[in-house]
Amino acid sequence: MDRTQRPRSVLDSLGEELIGILTPVSICMFTVVLLVCLLNSDPSSSASFSSIATAAYSETDSDSPWDKLLGAFLNSLVFVAAITVATFLLVVLFYLRCVRFLKLYMGFSAFVVLANLGGEISVLLIDRFRLPVDSVTFSILLFNFSVVGVFAVFMSRFSILITQGYLVVIGVLVAYFFTMLPEWTTWVLLVALALYDLAAVLLPVGPLRLLVEMAISRDEDIPALVYEARPVIRDDSRLVQRRVWRDRRSSQNDDDLENNEVVNVVRAEEDEQRSEISVPLIERSRPESSETFLEGIGLGSSGAIKLGLGDFIFYSVLVGRAAMYDLMTVYACYLAIIAGLGVTLMLLSVYQKALPALPVSIMLGVVFYFLARLFLEVFVVQCSSNLVMF
Amino acid sequence: MTVAAGIGYALLALGPSLSLFVSVISRKPFLILTLLSSTLVWLVSLIILSGLWRPFLPLKANVWWPYALLVLSSVCFQEALRFLFWKLYMRLEDVLDSFADRISRPRLFLTDKLQIALAGGLGHGVAHAVFFCLSLLTPAFGPATFYVDRCSKVPFFLVSAIIALAFVTIHTFSMVIAFEGYAKGNKVDQVIVPVIHLSAGMLTLVNFASEGCVIGVPLLYLVASLTLLHCGKMVWQRLIESQNQSGSTLR
């Protein structure tokens, strides 16, 4: 079988872009699960965690399930309201063309996330593994790490691997802190955010839709934090053009947890340049969703898929919370989220308009979590502890 | 069990599939997607089965016939699902072929189809190993290990890893046999796959006897090696056949 003589089959490169976005999502989820497993030996640590997401009600173990549910609803309501306000603020600022201010603010929040949250997690890890590090070295390293991170997500000519790495790290850090919310609040919050996502993108008055339409009409970049997979070069089709790496970072998912500030969770926005070819582009997807991106001349539809950082964060929160129960639920939720992402991308290529990436995956993930927890675990433990398998 | 032992058990169950993944599947992104979707299909089938059986659990210990019923129903359900999976795959093959025609590339080769079947089977196998072996392994890190009474010579995790390895092999290669059997209409291949699956499932019931795993596990490996041999023979024949058909160039 002489491989070099065979013409390349269609199977060799199909689905490359999808894998390019699945890999960082999986890495992010895996890292969060690892952190949760390593750092969560004592459940009492979650009691001291407070943020805007627990402003209305802080869960204690002694409450009845109905109280917990009600409290979780109130918490999610407050959180979603805060996000809506923040997103509308972003829309207003963008409308008034205060883009520079937004970019500076985003740089600042990226620095805060990397330094603050990154520093806290590093301290927890150092404590757990008993690493001998002195505080001067630690602060120098942390400062360097954060500053390089800020440059990586803002400068356009940075190495793509480092930029992608830093975006995944930011996603991991924020997601880990979100998993420290109380349990009922987390689940209701995830569902509420999925519904908010649906509304914000598909309704005509939704803030994200307004933002996207404004950016299209002005042909500008939305300031946002977005993960961008490496653009694919196809050497057989007519387009052979590596996209110039564009600078497009700003708004960010940030949650300054210690100071109880207003959470500025602006979903990663995305925008893309309309290309000048005659084939109609798949319109930019909703900020928080992924999109395919035609580039160059010709009809080949390759290009980088972009996924908002908020998607990374909330997928990882779901999986991290599943990890706090058992690893079987983690595997089930991981598969559900990947399936949801695949379905969203398929819908995107069918409908060719802005679509939210959270709802399908989160709904599937929540459904699979509860199914796994209630049904699957008993079944599998029964069978395998008696060494009966099929 | 210590971290080193835990990683050892995990690699025991999933090592060959990891090397298959790295050498064959990770080269082509489409195969990774096939693997993920077949893992999902297996998980969904397991969830449905557990939903159906939930009212009857927990089963009484030391009584083996409810487990036999459980294994029988599960295997039948999963084989039916395998047939549906194949139907879906046929549609996918048509879509891929028409896509290849549109971009003026050659249609799917035989090796492509075999690789897709392999990825599908590996997905099933990996799902089995993950849910039946790994998910019990990872919470058990720490001092001490666990032995079951019925198989007291060997830690429980080691036995389940060994059994999982056998099942990974069976699932992976029986999918290849099944796809080829359905495609060619070969009755022998079509029947042999459910038979293998059912006999493997029933053989694990031997573990109910005291120290039964001493007999059950080697017999299981016999079934697994039979699967491997049959699959290898079948694939070899198909490759020779297609090589003869297309003359000197291998298509």
Side-chain angles (χ1 to χ4, degrees):
Chain A
M1 236 198 290
D2 190 356
R3 284 209 161 249
T4 52
Q5 282 174 353
R6 282 171 55 181
R8 284 180 62 200
S9 142
V10 75
L11 211 62
D12 280 346
S13 51
L14 201 61
E16 232 166 51
E17 304 96 0
L18 189 55
I19 296 297
I21 204 75
L22 279 184
T23 316
V25 172
S26 312
I27 291 177
C28 188
M29 288 199 255
F30 174 72
T31 317
V32 171
V33 167
L34 200 61
L35 278 178
V36 164
C37 290
L38 286 176
L39 296 177
N40 260 32
S41 37
D42 52 342
S44 61
S45 56
S46 61
S48 54
F49 179 76
S50 64
S51 83
I52 193 164
T54 49
Y57 160 79
S58 25
E59 192 172 310
T60 57
D61 285 331
S62 53
D63 290 341
S64 70
W66 180 245
D67 279 341
K68 286 188 188 175
L69 196 62
L70 217 52
F73 268 124
L74 286 175
N75 274 339
S76 333
L77 223 57
V78 168
F79 195 75
V80 171
I83 292 181
T84 319
V85 164
T87 317
F88 271 114
L89 194 65
L90 183 69
V91 170
V92 162
L93 283 176
F94 191 67
Y95 181 70
L96 298 174
R97 299 179 189 269
C98 303
V99 178
R100 189 169 166 77
F101 168 74
L102 285 172
K103 287 193 186 224
L104 284 174
Y105 179 75
M106 295 319 150
F108 167 72
S109 41
F111 182 77
V112 163
V113 165
L114 284 172
N116 215 350
L117 304 188
E120 228 182 87
I121 293 192
S122 312
V123 166
L124 287 173
L125 283 172
I126 289 174
D127 191 34
R128 166 84 168 75
F129 287 115
R130 303 250 179 269
L131 299 172
V133 173
D134 62 288
S135 49
V136 177
T137 315
F138 178 74
S139 41
I140 292 177
L141 286 177
L142 188 66
F143 181 72
N144 277 355
F145 178 73
S146 322
V147 167
V148 172
V150 171
F151 281 136
V153 302
F154 279 96
M155 275 170 54
S156 50
R157 307 236 177 255
F158 228 82
S159 150
I160 185 171
L161 214 56
I162 296 188
T163 309
Q164 290 175 339
Y166 267 105
L167 285 170
V168 170
V169 164
I170 292 178
V172 165
L173 294 176
V174 179
Y176 178 71
F177 275 89
F178 267 104
T179 60
M180 295 196 344
L181 293 173
E183 185 169 5
W184 288 68
T185 308
T186 315
W187 291 110
V188 179
L189 186 68
L190 281 170
V191 175
L193 279 171
L195 293 172
Y196 163 77
D197 217 36
L198 207 58
V201 174
L202 295 179
L203 289 182
V205 13
L208 294 171
R209 185 170 172 151
L210 293 174
L211 199 61
V212 159
E213 282 169 5
M214 257 197 297
I216 292 181
S217 64
R218 286 193 213 165
D219 212 19
E220 258 179 32
D221 279 347
I222 305 179
L225 269 183
V226 148
Y227 182 93
E228 200 158 357
R230 204 183 275 264
V232 170
I233 296 187
R234 294 265 169 89
D235 50 15
D236 46 58
S237 61
R238 275 152 280 168
L239 64 96
V240 191
Q241 181 179 344
R242 182 177 285 280
R243 186 165 35 91
V244 173
W245 198 244
R246 265 201 304 273
D247 171 36
R248 54 149 58 70
R249 314 277 169 239
S250 270
S251 137
Q252 205 245 47
N253 256 329
D254 183 19
D255 187 18
D256 193 349
L257 308 162
E258 270 83 57
N259 306 336
N260 273 3
E261 276 173 11
V262 174
V263 171
N264 225 347
V265 183
V266 180
R267 239 34 103 40
E269 319 297 273
E270 190 32 53
D271 102 63
E272 67 182 286
Q273 212 85 319
R274 274 276 173 72
S275 114
E276 50 275 32
I277 54 175
S278 53
V279 176
L281 254 190
I282 294 175
E283 232 167 303
R284 78 196 59 198
S285 315
R286 186 229 129 210
E288 202 79 88
S289 89
S290 41
E291 50 181 331
T292 43
F293 177 75
L294 253 96
E295 57 173 322
I297 15 172
L299 300 173
S301 68
S302 80
I305 294 190
K306 302 184 195 64
L307 189 63
L309 210 59
D311 289 332
F312 275 75
I313 290 174
F314 288 108
Y315 294 162
S316 311
V317 168
L318 197 151
V319 170
R321 179 45 79 169
M324 288 183 180
Y325 179 69
D326 189 28
L327 278 180
M328 201 179 300
T329 47
V330 167
Y331 303 129
C333 291
Y334 170 75
L335 287 171
I337 290 179
I338 298 290
L341 197 57
V343 166
T344 311
L345 286 174
M346 274 198 313
L347 283 179
L348 189 68
S349 61
V350 164
Y351 281 106
Q352 307 237 343
K353 58 181 275 225
L355 284 181
L358 272 189
V360 181
S361 293
I362 298 281
M363 292 306 185
L364 274 180
V366 171
V367 163
F368 269 63
Y369 173 79
F370 284 110
L371 283 178
R373 182 165 170 166
L374 296 171
F375 296 146
L376 192 64
E377 195 181 357
V378 177
F379 185 74
V380 169
V381 170
Q382 262 280 288
C383 284
S384 51
S385 56
N386 286 306
L387 294 176
V388 170
M389 303 188 191
F390 51 88
Chain B
M1 108 215 106
T2 59
V3 174
I7 296 182
Y9 296 145
L11 281 179
L12 192 64
L14 283 177
S17 22
L18 190 67
S19 37
L20 252 182
F21 180 82
V22 167
S23 58
V24 176
I25 304 217
S26 65
R27 300 284 160 91
K28 307 197 173 178
F30 188 76
L31 293 178
I32 303 182
L33 294 174
T34 315
L35 187 132
L36 284 173
S37 39
S38 82
T39 313
L40 185 73
V41 163
W42 204 87
L43 170 66
V44 167
S45 76
L46 201 64
I47 288 183
I48 295 178
L49 282 169
S50 59
L52 287 173
W53 273 92
R54 182 69 177 96
F56 306 104
L57 298 172
L59 296 171
K60 288 194 292 288
N62 301 327
V63 179
W64 62 269
W65 61 265
Y67 286 99
L69 218 59
L70 194 139
V71 168
L72 187 67
S73 58
S74 314
V75 170
C76 291
F77 184 71
Q78 285 188 338
E79 290 304 319
L81 217 60
R82 193 196 297 268
F83 185 68
L84 284 175
F85 195 53
W86 177 74
K87 284 275 186 216
L88 208 69
Y89 161 72
M90 285 311 283
R91 284 229 224 125
L92 181 72
E93 204 182 301
D94 290 335
V95 167
L96 284 178
D97 278 339
S98 60
F99 176 68
D101 286 338
R102 234 184 358 182
I103 61 173
S104 48
R105 283 274 205 89
R107 298 186 145 212
L108 287 178
F109 300 128
L110 172 68
T111 45
D112 288 335
K113 299 184 195 173
L114 288 175
Q115 278 177 344
I116 296 180
L118 186 71
L122 194 64
H124 272 26
V126 164
H128 173 102
V130 161
F131 284 99
F132 276 105
C133 171
L134 269 192
S135 54
L136 298 173
L137 206 65
T138 26
F141 283 115
T145 183
F146 182 60
Y147 285 79
V148 275
D149 294 330
R150 293 202 193 103
C151 202
S152 56
K153 305 286 190 232
V154 174
F156 163 71
F157 304 111
L158 186 57
V159 177
S160 74
I162 293 177
I163 295 182
L165 177 62
F167 269 101
V168 165
T169 321
I170 292 177
H171 279 305
T172 311
F173 295 105
S174 57
M175 185 70 87
V176 179
I177 301 176
F179 271 28
E180 281 302 305
Y182 291 134
K184 295 290 161 203
N186 186 347
K187 287 291 174 203
V188 173
D189 282 344
Q190 283 178 19
V191 163
I192 205 171
V193 168
V195 164
I196 287 178
H197 197 182
L198 194 61
S199 55
M202 289 304 180
L203 273 174
T204 58
L205 288 173
V206 174
N207 296 327
F208 260 100
S210 168
E211 305 301 335
C213 53
V214 179
I215 315 169
V217 173
L219 281 179
L220 195 61
Y221 268 86
L222 190 66
V223 175
S225 21
L226 280 176
T227 320
L228 254 179
L229 281 173
H230 185 91
C231 180
K233 201 173 63 164
M234 184 196 77
V235 168
W236 186 253
Q237 275 173 357
R238 289 278 292 126
L239 285 176
I240 301 288
E241 210 176 272
S242 78
Q243 189 172 21
N244 289 341
Q245 259 175 16
S246 51
S248 51
T249 56
L250 187 65
R251 292 215 103 236

